[in-house]
Amino acid sequence: MDMNFEEFGKLAIVYKCFSQGKLFIEFDEDLSKLTDGSGMFNGCTSLSSFTSDLSSLTNGYRMFEDCSSLMSFTSDLNRLGNGECMFSYCKSLSSFTCDLSRLWNGSLMFCGCTSLSSFTSDLSNLENGRYMFYYCTSLSSFTSNLSNLQDGWEMFDGCTSLNEVTIKVDTSKRTDWKTFFTKENLSIRDEATLTIKDIDGNILI
């Protein structure tokens, strides 16, 4: 049967994950041509380590959702646009440092990642951040460029350990930055320190 990589690669990997009751513990196969990874490893509860080239991936919808043992994720995500629910309930994921500079939809992306303690990544194209870090109860610090954010509803709701939030904003694009980037709008807890900087790093608030 003649199948392209998108069809065969996706089916083969999901089959390997669930066939005969055996789940991946580590994954390091080549996925450099994959563009749509939606649901690919969803529910692979024994997957603890992922190291693969995802430099072509544009759609990561629910790709690692409920991978509750995933502790280590190493990859290139610089083309990812849709990250909705991509790592939802990856309860063992403690840090994340990938390039997300093309991400526009981050809704529920890290929802329920209760071990995630810090996040430093470029989110300069993010438009939808709704519930992005919902109940990331260990998240203590957040730093990123949010110049294009349009919807930040409940973005940090339930982040009970959040102490420092640093947001960079291109003030030439966002004349509303004073009224939009507030603790109330982003559901940042009252005890946290919110710092707003311009793209050159100068403190605005």
Side-chain angles (χ1 to χ4, degrees):
M1 179 169 57
D2 184 21
M3 299 179 71
N4 62 32
F5 181 88
E6 290 288 274
E7 296 168 329
F8 175 74
K10 192 169 177 179
L11 291 173
I13 291 165
V14 172
Y15 174 76
K16 287 179 183 178
C17 282
F18 293 102
S19 66
Q20 300 174 355
K22 295 179 181 179
L23 299 178
F24 275 125
I25 295 175
E26 297 181 356
F27 182 90
D28 59 2
E29 295 188 31
D30 181 19
L31 294 177
S32 58
K33 296 181 180 179
L34 184 71
T35 57
D36 183 6
S38 53
M40 185 177 249
F41 297 97
N42 188 308
C44 289
T45 56
S46 294
L47 181 66
S48 63
S49 174
F50 181 91
T51 305
S52 186
D53 182 356
L54 292 175
S55 56
S56 296
L57 187 73
T58 57
N59 183 14
Y61 175 65
R62 302 182 72 177
M63 188 171 182
F64 297 96
E65 186 178 36
D66 290 322
C67 290
S68 55
S69 298
L70 186 64
M71 294 185 292
S72 174
F73 179 86
T74 305
S75 189
D76 185 349
L77 294 175
N78 64 355
R79 292 188 182 181
L80 182 69
N82 182 17
E84 184 175 353
C85 298
M86 187 171 182
F87 298 98
S88 288
Y89 302 104
C90 289
K91 297 179 180 180
S92 300
L93 188 65
S94 60
S95 63
F96 189 88
T97 56
C98 292
D99 178 4
L100 295 176
S101 57
R102 295 191 186 183
L103 183 74
W104 60 270
N105 183 11
S107 176
L108 293 162
M109 188 170 183
F110 297 98
C111 170
C113 291
T114 53
S115 295
L116 188 66
S117 59
S118 64
F119 181 92
T120 304
S121 186
D122 181 4
L123 295 174
S124 55
N125 280 313
L126 183 69
E127 297 177 9
N128 183 6
R130 183 172 278 237
Y131 298 106
M132 188 170 184
F133 298 97
Y134 189 69
Y135 275 84
C136 289
T137 53
S138 296
L139 186 66
S140 61
S141 64
F142 172 90
T143 302
S144 192
N145 183 335
L146 295 178
S147 293
N148 280 331
L149 187 66
Q150 303 300 317
D151 187 351
W153 179 260
E154 307 287 343
M155 189 170 181
F156 296 101
D157 190 39
C159 295
T160 53
S161 299
L162 195 59
N163 293 318
E164 296 181 7
V165 178
T166 303
I167 296 173
K168 292 185 177 181
V169 181
D170 185 345
T171 54
S172 67
K173 294 181 178 179
R174 298 299 296 264
T175 57
D176 65 340
W177 63 269
K178 275 188 179 181
T179 55
F180 184 86
F181 295 105
T182 66
K183 289 183 180 181
E184 182 179 2
N185 280 357
L186 301 177
S187 298
I188 299 170
R189 73 190 193 111
D190 291 338
E191 296 83 356
T193 300
L194 174 61
T195 304
I196 311 293
K197 296 182 178 182
D198 65 19
I199 55 175
D200 294 320
N202 300 307
I203 296 177
L204 301 173
I205 293 180

